[in-house]
Amino acid sequence: MATTNDIYAEMQRYAPLELAESWDNPGLLVDCGREVSRVLVTLDITPEVVEEAAAGGCELIVSHHPVIFSPLKKLTPRDVSFQLVQKGISAICMHTNLDAADGGVNDCLAHALGLSGLSMLNEEKIGRIGTLSCEIPLEEFLPAVVKSLGCSGLRFRDGGKPVHRVAVGGGACGEYIPQAIAQGCDTFVTSDLRYNDFLDTRGLNLIDAGHFPTENVVCPTVKAYLEEHFPE
């Protein structure tokens, strides 16, 4: 039977830790030292997710967002990391390294939106640029985004251009608007955009499709990767 460390080693091959941003805290954040028969894959580890994993007999959760972020100074029963230890469930969290990895968050987001010919949006490898098979009006692209990502809605600004060369950034990537413009993109799909992002940006269609929808697209891919490498 596979161990938590076996799965952690394989996840590092998928999303190497050196790809993570310096401020980030990815890795094996809760290690209960158990053999693993079932894994739950999720975007976030919440108390409800811990209960779901425990009810499903999972010894390990693999998530995107870290369950521990700042230096831990106190641990109480209200903390999710405490609840994981109580249940004997380990946690592997792959964050900005999974954003940047080949086949990670941003590749999955680009493919979900039907983009091809992908290239990097920035030096950090967080974000991708791709093209649609043909140029389409923004009003036609917006409902396609909602359908492809399962959004309950979205916010957007019409930059006055049809959609063809599209930048994507899963999660909060508004800081990369200048790179999208500099690389000749007509559209940028990301999330958590600020009021001033919409107010000040010119010549670029901005689409805020939500943090969860733009990142949760990676979960089925992570699940498939684990099934392939740990068929048992």
Side-chain angles (χ1 to χ4, degrees), residues 103-200:
V105 171
N106 286 292
D107 283 327
C108 291
L109 176 56
H111 291 145
L113 295 176
L115 304 180
S116 59
L118 302 185
S119 60
M120 299 297 171
L121 174 61
N122 49 55
E123 293 181 356
E124 298 86 353
K125 299 183 179 180
I126 296 177
R128 298 291 187 270
I129 295 172
T131 56
L132 295 174
S133 58
C134 62
E135 187 178 277
I136 62 173
L138 178 62
E139 56 266 27
E140 185 178 327
F141 185 62
L142 293 172
V145 172
V146 171
K147 182 178 180 180
S148 299
L149 303 184
C151 307
S152 56
L154 49 76
R155 299 185 300 147
F156 73 95
R157 176 187 173 125
D158 188 340
K161 293 183 176 181
V163 180
H164 186 228
R165 183 171 170 82
V166 181
V168 300
C173 289
E175 65 191 280
Y176 300 127
I177 289 173
Q179 287 92 328
I181 294 172
Q183 295 208 51
C185 297
D186 49 65
T187 305
F188 187 20
V189 180
T190 185
S191 77
D192 299 353
L193 292 173
R194 302 168 303 169
Y195 174 81
N196 276 78
D197 294 327
F198 288 107
L199 183 67
D200 298 335

Side-chain angles (χ1 to χ4, degrees), residues 27-188:
L28 176 54
L29 302 188
V30 177
D31 184 4
C32 294
R34 298 175 65 186
E35 291 187 330
V36 179
S37 62
R38 300 195 77 195
V39 181
L40 186 146
V41 177
T42 183
L43 197 68
D44 300 282
I45 303 178
T46 64
E48 293 81 5
V49 168
V50 175
E51 290 300 325
E52 181 183 350
C58 300
E59 300 88 0
L60 172 66
I61 297 174
V62 174
S63 77
H64 180 44
H65 293 134
V67 70
I68 299 172
F69 221 110
S70 58
L72 199 59
K73 295 181 179 179
K74 185 179 180 181
L75 200 60
T76 73
R78 297 183 64 182
D79 294 304
V80 174
S81 50
F82 182 97
Q83 296 165 17
L84 286 166
V85 173
Q86 271 191 322
K87 302 286 187 181
I89 300 172
S90 301
I92 295 171
C93 306
M94 295 300 199
H95 193 210
T96 52
N97 50 320
L98 188 59
D99 288 324
D102 290 339
V105 171
N106 286 292
D107 283 327
C108 291
L109 176 56
H111 291 145
L113 295 176
L115 304 180
S116 59
L118 302 185
S119 60
M120 299 297 171
L121 174 61
N122 49 55
E123 293 181 356
E124 298 86 353
K125 299 183 179 180
I126 296 177
R128 298 291 187 270
I129 295 172
T131 56
L132 295 174
S133 58
C134 62
E135 187 178 277
I136 62 173
L138 178 62
E139 56 266 27
E140 185 178 327
F141 185 62
L142 293 172
V145 172
V146 171
K147 182 178 180 180
S148 299
L149 303 184
C151 307
S152 56
L154 49 76
R155 299 185 300 147
F156 73 95
R157 176 187 173 125
D158 188 340
K161 293 183 176 181
V163 180
H164 186 228
R165 183 171 170 82
V166 181
V168 300
C173 289
E175 65 191 280
Y176 300 127
I177 289 173
Q179 287 92 328
I181 294 172
Q183 295 208 51
C185 297
D186 49 65
T187 305
F188 187 20

